[in-house]
Amino acid sequence: MRPALNAIAAQQHAIFTRAQALRAGYTEREVRALTRPNGAWAVVRLGVYCERARLEPLDSRARWRLKDRAAVLSTRRSAILSHDSAARLLSIDTLDAGSPASHLTLYGPRGSRTNSGLTRHRDLLPLCVERVDGVLTTSYARTAVDLARWHGYRQGVVAIDAVRRLGVPKSDLEAELERMRHHPHIARARAALADSDPGAESVLETLGRELVASLGIGDVQTQFAVRIVGGRVVWCDIRVGCHLFECEGRLKLVPVDRGGVADESPEAVVWRQQARRTDICSEGFGMSRIVWADCFEPGRERARERLRKEYAVTEARFGREPAAHLLAFAAANPRRTSARLWSPGADTAA
């Protein structure tokens, strides 16, 4: 790439427009040759390119981030990244959308239009925004509310759990709901916020909590503290009565260098999990395991039946509620997490 265009691309996260390439000295014929199939330049979005060597190593999420930036770069009107695009840039955990797209919000009468993998939303309300690497996105709270409205209840609970886990106060989400009370599908977002819980530490834990709640066996509590042999305190993902539910993803078994979180062999991880389970159950609890496939059909109904049976066995053995000293210990030892986002008063001494 010639120096003039290289300087432009460096300021735009490696992407550039056709017009910028022409201004940098390339001819129309050169651009056509460079953007042919398997050419040196890959088409990110119509009229926006990236060097193929930079694009090919990227995973799907990183490629979509480039498409999102390309959407902003190519729009003729002032626009802000929103919905799925904002979630990707703000690193908000979400469920994969059935029809992936980039999303922009522009000023204007409410309405949405999708074309060529780009959805343009219009809104007359002033927007709270974040600036990430020079690009404006809707705020964390607004993004989560928009995801709930656009994709539905389940995706909304996942997104709202995620932003609350990051440190967004519930009051911020309630304020956005109030401002947007006349927006389409706002009832979905209200229901998602009502059922959200910052105690979910992953998408799987959110889905697992939803699965357990659907059993109708009692109130669901997240991050329940138990003191086990040796005085060590562990926090269990979900509790109903004397029964605990642990959400176990495959990433716990995958080494860090392969994209997982395990810092030891799979055998060692499994052995440690089994020992942990034995120690927890010896304190007067039953336990069930929830995996990703349990949260979706065709495995969901089978999982619900299994979980009900396992809960019934625990209830018959230990009763409906843990001993008073176990509840008191859990109440005195809430799970403490370090929120990524700053919130008022978080850094002020009491």
Side-chain angles (χ1 to χ4, degrees):
M1 188 185 296
R2 295 170 193 168
L5 186 58
N6 194 36
I8 293 171
Q11 297 175 7
Q12 298 173 168
H13 294 268
I15 59 175
F16 53 91
T17 67
R18 184 184 192 89
Q20 289 172 334
L22 295 174
R23 286 198 297 270
Y26 288 87
T27 65
E28 289 280 3
R29 183 175 180 178
E30 285 179 306
V31 172
R32 284 196 299 271
L34 288 164
T35 58
R36 69 183 186 276
N38 297 318
W41 295 354
V43 178
V44 179
R45 191 172 291 283
L46 183 63
V48 182
Y49 313 111
C50 176
E51 287 186 294
R52 191 174 299 279
R54 287 175 173 263
L55 183 66
E56 288 184 341
L58 301 180
D59 60 20
S60 175
R61 190 175 181 89
R63 290 189 181 207
W64 269 107
R65 285 198 188 103
L66 275 189
K67 290 184 179 183
D68 297 335
R69 293 179 182 277
V72 175
L73 190 61
S74 60
T75 187
R76 296 179 181 178
R77 294 181 53 190
S78 177
I80 294 172
L81 286 178
S82 62
H83 297 73
D84 303 69
S85 296
R88 283 188 284 265
L89 207 58
L90 296 171
S91 298
I92 297 172
D93 290 335
T94 61
L95 284 176
D96 291 338
S99 300
S102 292
H103 293 258
L104 296 176
T105 293
L106 306 86
Y107 181 80
R110 285 200 302 270
S112 302
R113 180 169 58 89
T114 301
N115 186 26
S116 301
L118 173 61
T119 301
R120 296 177 176 86
H121 308 268
R122 299 179 185 276
D123 199 332
L124 292 169
L125 283 179
L127 296 174
C128 296
V129 299
E130 299 281 343
R131 181 180 292 275
V132 182
D133 294 334
V135 177
L136 292 178
T137 77
T138 47
S139 68
Y140 288 86
R142 173 62 189 257
T143 299
V145 170
D146 279 341
L147 289 170
R149 292 193 309 113
W150 187 253
H151 291 299
Y153 169 83
R154 174 180 273 189
Q155 287 89 337
V157 174
V158 169
I160 291 174
D161 274 6
V163 299
R164 293 188 66 187
R165 182 165 65 248
L166 291 173
V168 174
K170 187 178 181 181
S171 58
D172 283 11
L173 291 151
E174 291 170 337
E176 282 293 345
L177 287 173
E178 177 60 25
R179 292 175 67 243
M180 300 169 67
R181 60 187 178 276
H182 299 304
H183 280 53
H185 308 302
I186 197 64
R188 296 174 179 174
R190 289 190 186 280
L193 177 59
D195 291 344
S196 67
D197 188 325
E201 296 186 336
S202 67
V203 173
L204 178 56
E205 289 186 25
T206 295
L207 298 176
R209 187 181 78 248
E210 180 207 31
L211 178 63
V212 172
S214 76
L215 302 178
I217 54 178
D219 294 335
V220 177
Q221 181 181 356
T222 61
Q223 300 306 326
F224 184 79
V226 179
R227 181 164 52 196
I228 60 176
V229 174
R232 187 163 68 97
V233 180
V234 297
W235 285 267
C236 300
D237 297 335
I238 301 164
R239 179 190 71 89
V240 178
C242 296
H243 200 76
L244 304 170
F245 303 83
E246 288 287 273
C247 301
E248 298 180 359
R250 293 183 64 181
L251 285 179
K252 292 181 179 179
L253 302 177
V254 179
V256 174
D257 59 4
R258 289 169 45 203
V261 297
D263 55 5
E264 53 190 346
S265 69
E267 294 84 357
V269 174
V270 171
W271 186 258
R272 184 160 45 81
Q273 287 177 338
Q274 291 175 341
R276 180 179 184 270
R277 176 173 182 159
T278 298
D279 288 342
I280 292 171
C281 290
S282 70
E283 297 298 322
F285 296 98
M287 185 179 289
S288 292
R289 178 172 175 262
I290 295 174
V291 298
W292 187 264
D294 293 334
C295 302
F296 301 92
E297 295 299 353
R300 184 179 172 89
E301 279 307 309
R302 290 196 301 272
R304 293 177 78 237
E305 183 179 357
R306 170 178 61 83
L307 295 175
R308 281 200 187 97
K309 290 179 178 178
E310 292 171 347
Y311 175 81
V313 170
T314 296
E315 186 179 66
R317 183 181 181 188
F318 297 114
R320 294 189 60 86
E321 286 296 324
H325 73 278
L326 296 173
L327 293 174
F329 180 82
N333 292 272
R335 176 78 153 171
R336 300 189 183 279
T337 58
S338 54
R340 194 184 78 192
L341 305 179
W342 177 88
S343 58
D347 56 354
T348 303

